[in-house]
């Protein structure tokens, strides 16, 4: 059904939960490094004594480009999707994309120990029959959860106000021949009246010569187009968007631009300003942006020259930026898919894939403190045991095998960081020392016991 490029709400109340996959296997992660920006180790005994410990929870389901969210009660949600359309074209694994049960959303109310499937379903069948790209988002101010999947020339969006017990589902973005690399996020209105929901919901995606955005004034039932984001000499590949308390919208750009950029709109997407965040070259993959309650911006990207995750900040709405700093510990030879979230001002959570030895990649999480000052320090650890890497062979720049194009990190209301990763190197991969096309297990990592981020 083609509805043009705006969404028209078709409200269907759906409910289904199941107890698959149940209890998760828990793995202990690697040693925690304590370091300054730039990677220099810290000798301060108190800071070292407060170092957190990393853990990883395995969900018995496929995943690719995982996103997660955490509601006010502390329930963790993650997308999990079998299939690999664009990374295994022509192989039998393509069929997994449309296999019943291959696409789901899982929730954990006990800090990752067990998981239940909560995707929108009618009986055993999911309403999102297939996905080219899954995406999950929680509006922290309302606890509404959004689950969205790309099909061919359309997107299917579902939202729930009760943690996935029931859903409203409708198609959006239909009639779009190119509808890729989506982001969904919400923020307060600037001038438009909203109906039945306090925030504006934004849906932006790669078209691919530009980034196209739509907005919903009724919480996700219907969407209207905004102005397109037209980056100069660049494609429309975009990272995940955010808004501040005033409703200003920020969308990171640069995956095919060669440099980190940021699109900014102060009028709900009717007009966009493009800002170059740094003069450094971007090493492929989506850059990531976060904004704290005071309006400070945090922009993370992988530097092309050093292959390190670099962080720059702005305290004036993106007009000026700090000198970029490396946030990885010493010994990191390459990183990819770096992403960031922020808690209290100056406190951040970071996730990325990193390699300290050629061809073996681990999933890293870091917590950073006082990053708006010159006294920043970080705790960094691999969520997996480095003896059992999450990826073998090539990982980027940009796409990372069966992991695909991005991962995610979020900070819980209690100030604990959680990251969504993919284990793309299971038993057969480890035995053969080579990635297997069947390998894409959903895993969730965390750092526990350290200073809270909020």
């Amino acid at each position: 059904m083609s509805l043009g490029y705006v969404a028209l709400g078709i409200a269907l109340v759906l409910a289904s939960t199941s107890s698959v996959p149940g209890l998760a296997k828990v793995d202990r992660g690697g040693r925690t490094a304590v370091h300054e920006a730039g990677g220099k180790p810290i000798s301060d005994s108190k800071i070292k004594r407060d170092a957190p410990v990393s853990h990883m929870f395995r969900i018995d389901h496929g995943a690719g480009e995982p996103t997660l969210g955490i509601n006010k009660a502390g329930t963790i949600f993650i997308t999990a999707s079998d299939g690999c359309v664009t990374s295994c074209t022509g192989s039998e694994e393509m069929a997994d994309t449309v296999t019943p049960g291959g696409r789901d959303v899982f929730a954990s109310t006990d800090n990752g120990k067990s998981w239940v499937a909560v995707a929108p379903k009618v009986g055993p069948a999911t309403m999102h029959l297939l996905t080219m790209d899954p995406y999950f988002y929680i509006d922290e101010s309302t606890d509404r959860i959004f689950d969205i999947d790309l099909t061919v020339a359309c997107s299917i969006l579902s939202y729930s106000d009760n943690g996935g017990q029931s859903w409203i589902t409708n198609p959006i973005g239909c009639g779009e021949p190119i509808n890729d690399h989506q982001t969904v996020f919400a923020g307060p209105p600037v001038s438009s009246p909203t109906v039945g929901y306090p925030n504006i919901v934004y849906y932006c995606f790669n078209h691919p010569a530009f980034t196209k955005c739509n907005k919903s004034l009724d919480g996700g039932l219907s969407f209207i187009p905004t102005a397109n984001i037209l980056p100069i000499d660049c494609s429309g590949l975009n990272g995940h968007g955010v808004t501040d308390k005033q409703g200003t919208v920020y969308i990171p750009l640069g995956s095919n631009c060669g440099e980190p950029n940021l699109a900014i709109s102060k009028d709900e997407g009717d007009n966009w300003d493009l800002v170059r965040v740094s003069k450094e070259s971007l090493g492929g993959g989506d850059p990531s942006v976060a904004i704290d309650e005071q309006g400070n911006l945090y922009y993370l990207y992988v530097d092309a020259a050093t292959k390190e995750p670099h962080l720059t900040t702005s305290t004036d709405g993106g007009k000026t930026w700090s000198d970029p700093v490396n946030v990885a510990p010493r010994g990191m030879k390459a990183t990819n898919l770096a992403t960031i979230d922020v808690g209290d001002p100056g406190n951040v959570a970071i996730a990325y894939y990193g390699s300290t030895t050629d061809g073996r990649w681990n999933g890293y999480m870091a917590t950073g403190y006082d990053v708006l000052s010159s006294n920043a320090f970080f705790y960094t650890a691999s969520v997996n045991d480095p003896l059992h890497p999450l990826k073998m062979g090539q990982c980027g720049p940009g796409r990372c095998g069966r992991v695909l194009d991005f991962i995610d990190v979020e900070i819980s209301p209690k100030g604990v960081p959680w990251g969504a990763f993919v284990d793309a190197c299971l038993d057969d991969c480890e035995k053969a020392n080579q990635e297997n096309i069947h390998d894409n297990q959903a895993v969730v990592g965390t750092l526990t016991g350290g200073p809270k981020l909020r």
Side-chain angles (χ1 to χ4, degrees), residues 143-368:
D143 256 5
R144 176 168 289 187
I145 63 178
F146 295 85
D147 178 33
I148 187 166
D149 286 288
L150 298 183
T151 56
V152 179
C154 197
S155 297
I156 302 298
L157 179 144
S158 297
Y159 64 82
S160 172
D161 291 319
N162 55 16
Q165 296 179 45
S166 62
W167 297 82
I168 290 178
T169 296
N170 59 270
I172 68 171
C174 293
E176 295 286 351
I178 304 294
N179 186 353
D180 173 55
H181 219 73
Q182 79 273 32
T183 178
V184 178
F185 56 100
V190 177
S191 58
S192 300
T194 57
V195 179
Y197 193 73
N199 293 331
I200 293 179
V201 180
Y202 294 92
Y203 171 67
C204 301
F205 59 94
N206 167 35
H207 203 260
F210 54 88
T211 296
K212 186 173 185 58
C213 289
N214 300 320
K215 66 181 179 182
S216 173
L217 305 180
D218 53 18
L221 277 176
S222 63
F223 284 78
I224 56 178
T226 68
N228 298 328
I229 303 173
L230 302 170
I232 300 174
D233 298 326
C234 186
S235 76
L237 282 173
N238 52 272
H240 303 164
V242 297
T243 60
D244 65 15
K245 288 184 175 180
Q246 286 69 47
T248 301
V249 179
Y250 301 90
I251 298 180
L253 303 169
S255 187
N256 287 339
C257 302
E259 59 185 25
N261 294 313
L262 185 65
I264 304 173
S265 176
K266 295 183 178 182
D267 55 10
E268 301 175 1
D270 288 341
N271 293 277
W272 297 92
D273 294 321
L274 292 179
V275 174
R276 184 172 69 172
V277 170
S278 168
K279 294 181 180 180
E280 294 181 337
S281 296
L282 189 70
D286 292 340
S288 180
V289 68
I291 189 164
D292 66 29
E293 60 185 13
Q294 296 179 357
N296 301 306
L297 289 162
Y298 306 76
Y299 193 106
L300 185 71
Y301 61 96
V302 175
D303 174 55
T306 64
K307 299 182 181 179
E308 298 167 340
H310 280 196
L311 173 65
T312 179
T313 61
S314 174
T315 59
D316 57 11
K319 297 183 180 67
T320 60
W321 295 85
S322 65
D323 292 334
V325 296
N326 170 30
V327 297
R330 286 181 178 175
M332 201 70 68
K333 288 190 174 182
T335 63
N336 195 23
L337 309 184
T339 185
I340 192 169
D341 191 22
V342 63
D344 288 340
N347 296 346
V348 298
I350 291 168
Y352 54 87
Y353 277 76
S355 177
T356 58
T357 58
D358 292 336
R360 297 172 66 87
W361 296 80
N362 302 309
Y364 286 90
M365 289 188 67
T367 51

Side-chain angles (χ1 to χ4, degrees), residues 13-51:
V13 178
L14 310 163
S16 178
T17 61
S18 66
S19 57
V20 178
L23 293 177
K25 179 183 176 183
V26 184
D27 294 352
R28 178 69 181 267
R31 182 181 62 86
T32 302
V34 187
H35 58 97
E36 300 176 357
K40 181 181 177 181
I42 286 179
S43 58
D44 185 291
S45 59
K46 183 182 186 306
I47 293 178
K48 293 176 67 175
R49 187 170 59 249
D50 290 340

Side-chain angles (χ1 to χ4, degrees), residues 342-410:
V342 63
D344 288 340
N347 296 346
V348 298
I350 291 168
Y352 54 87
Y353 277 76
S355 177
T356 58
T357 58
D358 292 336
R360 297 172 66 87
W361 296 80
N362 302 309
Y364 286 90
M365 289 188 67
T367 51
Y369 302 87
D370 297 328
V371 302
L372 295 173
S373 74
S374 59
N375 299 315
F377 66 95
F378 300 84
Y379 298 113
T380 302
S382 61
V383 297
N384 59 293
D385 183 340
L387 294 176
H388 302 284
L390 296 187
K391 178 76 174 68
M392 294 289 290
Q394 186 70 23
C395 179
R399 173 159 290 184
C400 182
R402 293 303 309 279
V403 184
L404 300 178
D405 294 335
F406 52 83
I407 57 175
D408 201 9
V409 67
E410 296 288 338

